[in-house]
Amino acid sequence: LSLYSSPARETKYVENPQTQLEEGVSHLRHLMEPYTAWCQTELTDSSKVKVTSSLCSDFFSEGCEFLQNPPAGFYPRLGVIGFAGIVGLFLARGSKIKKLVYPGGLMGIGASMYYPQQAVAIAKVAGTQLYDWSLQGYIAVESLWKDN
């Protein structure tokens, strides 16, 4: 029960009259409704088949199979690695370079904790690539220096 009584208000909803353009559009929509409904059902059914067949094509079949039947503990590990990336974004306030390095670095550290063998293999490949790039840069700078 209310402590204060409020007077009953008599409100009446009055709808604005439709303009001639609105009436024409409404009439057109009602005429086209069966065709649009047919198109929506036909296109969505065929697009679902195409999307699933294209997503799980030969190139992505292993990935789709892996995500449909993940190994035990995969999603918690993925959550920890993703959370490390979010923490990296939180810690990287201010600099654009920090926003690139911190999330990637923390996600890399998290992934290397769960997948150490793959991390070692990636580190070896990345190390040789960095060495090759630095050697190419050194040769380019040396050739520029000698030309002058």
Side-chain angles (χ1 to χ4, degrees), residues 66-105:
F66 181 80
L67 290 176
Q68 288 172 353
N69 302 317
F74 173 73
Y75 289 119
R77 290 177 180 180
L78 186 67
V80 169
I81 295 168
F83 183 72
I86 292 171
V87 168
L89 280 175
F90 179 72
L91 293 175
R93 285 184 266 162
S95 173
K96 290 183 181 180
I97 295 175
K98 284 183 184 178
K99 288 181 183 177
L100 290 174
V101 173
Y102 282 17

Side-chain angles (χ1 to χ4, degrees), residues 72-137:
F74 173 73
Y75 289 119
R77 290 177 180 180
L78 186 67
V80 169
I81 295 168
F83 183 72
I86 292 171
V87 168
L89 280 175
F90 179 72
L91 293 175
R93 285 184 266 162
S95 173
K96 290 183 181 180
I97 295 175
K98 284 183 184 178
K99 288 181 183 177
L100 290 174
V101 173
Y102 282 17
L106 287 177
M107 288 174 71
I109 290 170
S112 66
M113 286 174 28
Y114 286 117
Y115 305 104
Q117 295 162 339
Q118 290 86 350
V120 169
I122 290 171
K124 285 181 182 177
V125 171
T128 56
Q129 287 289 332
L130 282 174
Y131 178 73
D132 289 341
W133 289 342
S134 64
L135 192 59
Q136 289 175 0

Side-chain angles (χ1 to χ4, degrees), residues 29-109:
R29 288 178 76 187
H30 286 296
L31 286 176
M32 298 302 291
E33 188 173 12
Y35 303 110
T36 57
W38 176 79
C39 288
Q40 285 178 348
T41 57
E42 289 295 317
L43 291 177
T44 55
D45 290 344
S46 65
S47 66
K48 284 179 186 176
V49 171
K50 288 179 184 176
V51 167
T52 55
S53 66
S54 68
L55 283 179
C56 292
S57 65
D58 293 335
F59 185 70
F60 293 110
S61 63
E62 291 179 14
C64 285
E65 185 177 323
F66 181 80
L67 290 176
Q68 288 172 353
N69 302 317
F74 173 73
Y75 289 119
R77 290 177 180 180
L78 186 67
V80 169
I81 295 168
F83 183 72
I86 292 171
V87 168
L89 280 175
F90 179 72
L91 293 175
R93 285 184 266 162
S95 173
K96 290 183 181 180
I97 295 175
K98 284 183 184 178
K99 288 181 183 177
L100 290 174
V101 173
Y102 282 17
L106 287 177
M107 288 174 71
I109 290 170

